[in-house]
Every structure is written in C-alpha cells, then in structure tokens.
Amino acid sequence: QRFQLRMNSLIDRIEQLEEELDNLDPREGKKNGAADDERMKKEYDMLSTEKKVQILVRKGEIKKLRHRQQCTIALPTTIQAVSSKDLHNIGKLKDQIASSLTDIGPSGKYFPHLDVPVPGSWFQVRRFVRQKSAQKGYECMKLPQYFNLLSSELNINEDVGRRATSFCHDLGDVLFFDKEGLIFLQPSFLIDLFKCVIRHDHKESTY
C-alpha cells in the first residue's frame, strides 16, 4: 500500500510538472505543420532567460522522476515462510521464484533477456570483451576505437556491435556509456580510479 502511494505521488508530480511546462514552453502546444513549428520556435526565442531556465529545470526534474518510475519494482504480495529443517513451503517458494522470472513491473520485464533468442554475434562480442578485459591497455576505450576493434577482429559492424555491447552492459560484463562515447571493458577499473580520488589515509589524519 505504501509502495502504491509513493507511485501515485510520483505520477501526480510528473503530471503537475508537465502541466507547468505546457504553460511555460510555447513549443509544447499542438502543432499542425511546419508553420506552427516555426511560430512556436520564435515564441520560445523571445522568452526571457529566466523563463528558459524554468523550462530546463522542469524538463530535468521530469526526466529524473521518469527514471525513478522506471527503476521501481513491485514487491511480492505474499512472503513464503520456509524451513531448512523440514523443507516446509520450499515447493511454494520455488514456484514463486519461477513465476517472478516472467513478471512485469512498473519498468517492464524484470528479466527482459529471459527466453529471448540472442544472436550468435552477441555471444561473440561477449567472449571478446571478456578476453580483452584481462589484457593491459583495454580497461577503458573510446567507442570509435572499440567499434573499429570489433570490425577488424570479429568482422562485426557498428550497429550489431552497439546492440551486442548493450546486451553485455545489461549482464554486467561491461560499462557502456553510449552518450559519453566510452566503454569500460573492466568495470572494476572505474572503481580503482575512484579510489585514487576518494581515499582516506589514516597516517595523514593522525599527524
């Protein structure tokens, strides 16, 4: 019940922000063609800097709230009490776990790749990134360099490589930042970098 109340509150806040955005941004109105697009763009350009900042702030908040909405999960309505001594209710627990594999939550399927045919090229890429991640110099790469590597060594084009790499990201094999143009073939390398920046030296704190 609390979960549903939080979700409803989230939806209400998104709707409120979208309504405010409609009133602030002339580009959010109904369009009937290129003439309307041009007129709305001119109206937006005439807005004050303060108004434009308000529009950006609301858009940013809506984006964050929608991300929160997608990351939510629905908790099970029934909790199975089991015993490891006499295996009481173990069968029911196994059935509940099995049924949860196909459950659909607020953000979609919890296991989207389950029982979905995966192209062989995706597994080629997965084996490739695992091999390269163990080699020095391949911990972090820029995407053009990475896709060139896939093309030269596996004969896989960028489109297939992008989808295969996204699959590897979902499985936790890599950290794939498409917008930033970076890929970490060794996710732990990023943690090691943070350790160099955020650290605590006991000796420094005692002298």
Side-chain angles (χ1 to χ4, degrees):
Q1 191 175 1
R2 288 181 187 175
F3 172 78
Q4 192 58 53
L5 286 172
R6 285 199 299 271
M7 284 298 295
N8 291 341
S9 175
L10 194 65
I11 292 168
D12 290 342
R13 179 60 180 155
I14 290 172
E15 289 177 352
Q16 180 190 345
L17 286 167
E18 286 177 340
E19 187 178 342
E20 291 175 7
L21 193 60
D22 287 341
N23 294 329
L24 283 168
D25 193 344
R27 298 171 302 176
E28 297 294 324
K30 290 183 179 179
K31 302 171 186 176
N32 294 317
D36 279 348
D37 283 342
E38 189 64 28
R39 176 181 56 81
M40 290 174 176
K41 187 178 182 303
K42 285 180 180 178
E43 288 179 10
Y44 174 78
D45 290 340
M46 292 171 65
L47 292 176
S48 65
T49 304
E50 184 182 351
K51 288 278 186 184
K52 288 178 180 178
V53 169
Q54 289 176 10
I55 289 169
L56 286 173
V57 168
R58 279 158 180 78
K59 281 188 173 182
E61 195 170 347
I62 289 170
K63 186 178 179 181
K64 287 178 183 177
L65 291 174
R66 289 212 178 278
H67 179 69
R68 279 177 56 191
Q69 194 178 23
Q70 289 175 349
C71 292
T72 54
I73 61 170
L75 297 175
T77 54
T78 304
I79 305 297
Q80 300 293 345
V82 298
S83 170
S84 57
K85 184 178 181 180
D86 57 7
L87 302 184
H88 176 71
N89 267 352
I90 288 291
K92 289 182 179 179
L93 178 61
K94 286 168 69 177
D95 291 341
Q96 188 174 13
I97 292 171
S99 65
S100 71
L101 297 177
T102 55
D103 280 352
I104 298 176
S107 58
K109 281 189 174 183
Y110 293 127
F111 303 96
H113 299 299
L114 186 69
D115 288 335
V116 175
V118 176
S121 57
W122 291 16
F123 287 106
Q124 275 185 279
V125 172
R126 193 181 186 200
R127 284 193 297 271
F128 175 78
V129 297
R130 284 181 167 182
Q131 290 167 2
K132 289 295 181 185
S133 67
Q135 298 176 24
K136 193 170 183 180
Y138 290 97
E139 299 91 348
C140 174
M141 301 174 70
K142 291 185 176 180
L143 289 184
Q145 180 191 1
Y146 168 72
F147 288 131
N148 284 337
L149 206 59
L150 290 184
S151 177
S152 62
E153 297 202 18
L154 300 179
N155 197 27
I156 288 176
N157 63 43
E158 185 174 328
D159 181 52
V160 174
R162 195 177 296 275
R163 284 182 279 131
T165 307
S166 180
F167 170 70
C168 293
H169 175 89
D170 290 343
L171 295 178
D173 293 323
V174 300
L175 291 175
F176 178 41
F177 301 107
D178 200 357
K179 289 182 180 178
E180 290 76 14
L182 283 175
I183 180 168
F184 289 86
L185 299 186
Q186 191 181 103
S188 60
F189 178 73
L190 187 59
I191 298 170
D192 293 336
L193 286 179
F194 282 129
K195 286 179 182 177
C196 294
V197 179
I198 306 169
R199 55 189 285 271
H200 173 72
D201 193 316
H202 183 67
K203 288 183 179 179
E204 288 179 3
S205 66
T206 53
Y207 288 98

